[in-house]
Amino acid sequence: MKPLYQASILTLPIIFTACMSTPKDITPIEYYTPPQASNQTATIVGDIYERKYVADTIAYVFAVDQKKILNGRENLNNPLLLTTGEHELQIWCGRGGYKYTNLVKANIEANKKYQVGYELNPNKQQGCVFWLCTRQISQNPYPIRVLPS
C-alpha cells in the first residue's frame, strides 16, 4: 500500500512560485545626481580601515536626501559632490557581518572637503556612531581629521 502524502518533485516548484510575488505598486529607487562643481559645492569621501586577516571596516555615504548613491561602496574614496546647505545623509558602516545605517543631518559649507568618521561598536555596545570631519590633505597617507568649527 502506497502512502497518501507522497508528492511528486514536479509539484514543488509550482507551490513555491505561488509564494514569490511582489506588490505591483513599488516605487522605483531614486538615484542621486551630483551637481556640477562650483563655488557652492563641497565634497565628501568615505573611510576604510583595511585589515589583512579580518574583514575591512568601511563607512560611506549611501544616500543623499533619500536618493541612493550609485556604486557608493566601490567609490567610497572618490569625492562625492554636494551642494551647500542642509542635507540628510544616510551613512553605511560595516565590518564582516556587522552592518549599520544611520541618518545624519548635516549642514554642508561651500568649498569644504568632508570625510565620514565613525566608530564601530563604541563602548562595547552594538552599533555604529558617525560624524563628519573636514579633511586636510597632507603627505601622511592617513588623512588628518579635524572637527568642523
Side-chain angles (χ1 to χ4, degrees):
M1 183 154 90
K2 292 186 177 183
L4 295 174
Y5 58 85
Q6 185 177 15
S8 169
I9 293 179
L10 296 176
T11 60
L12 290 177
I14 294 170
I15 294 170
F16 289 123
T17 55
C19 297
M20 295 179 175
S21 63
T22 58
K24 296 184 184 351
D25 59 345
I26 293 178
T27 55
I29 295 173
E30 290 186 55
Y31 289 94
Y32 176 72
T33 304
Q36 295 292 323
S38 73
N39 62 354
Q40 294 299 311
T41 59
T43 60
I44 188 168
V45 294
D47 197 4
I48 185 167
Y49 176 50
E50 294 180 4
R51 300 171 181 213
K52 189 170 184 177
Y53 298 108
V54 295
D56 296 341
T57 303
I58 62 170
Y60 62 93
V61 178
F62 178 79
V64 175
D65 298 327
Q66 300 177 355
K67 294 179 181 167
K68 187 178 183 305
I69 304 296
L70 188 63
N71 300 323
R73 186 192 187 315
E74 293 83 13
N75 293 314
L76 68 93
N77 288 324
N78 296 330
L80 175 68
L81 279 169
L82 297 170
T83 57
T84 58
E86 189 172 289
H87 292 282
E88 289 184 351
L89 305 176
Q90 187 172 356
I91 309 291
W92 192 95
C93 175
R95 180 182 71 215
Y98 297 102
K99 296 174 178 58
Y100 306 99
T101 61
N102 278 356
L103 190 63
V104 176
K105 287 193 176 191
N107 189 17
I108 304 297
E109 297 178 21
N111 300 317
K112 293 251 180 156
K113 296 178 182 189
Y114 294 95
Q115 181 168 7
V116 175
Y118 66 95
E119 183 177 348
L120 188 63
N121 301 326
N123 300 324
K124 299 183 181 179
Q125 296 178 358
Q126 192 172 15
C128 198
V129 176
F130 301 100
W131 59 88
L132 295 180
C133 306
T134 56
R135 186 172 183 213
Q136 296 178 352
I137 307 300
S138 69
Q139 297 298 334
N140 187 344
Y142 302 99
I144 301 168
R145 294 183 181 136
V146 179
L147 292 175
S149 54

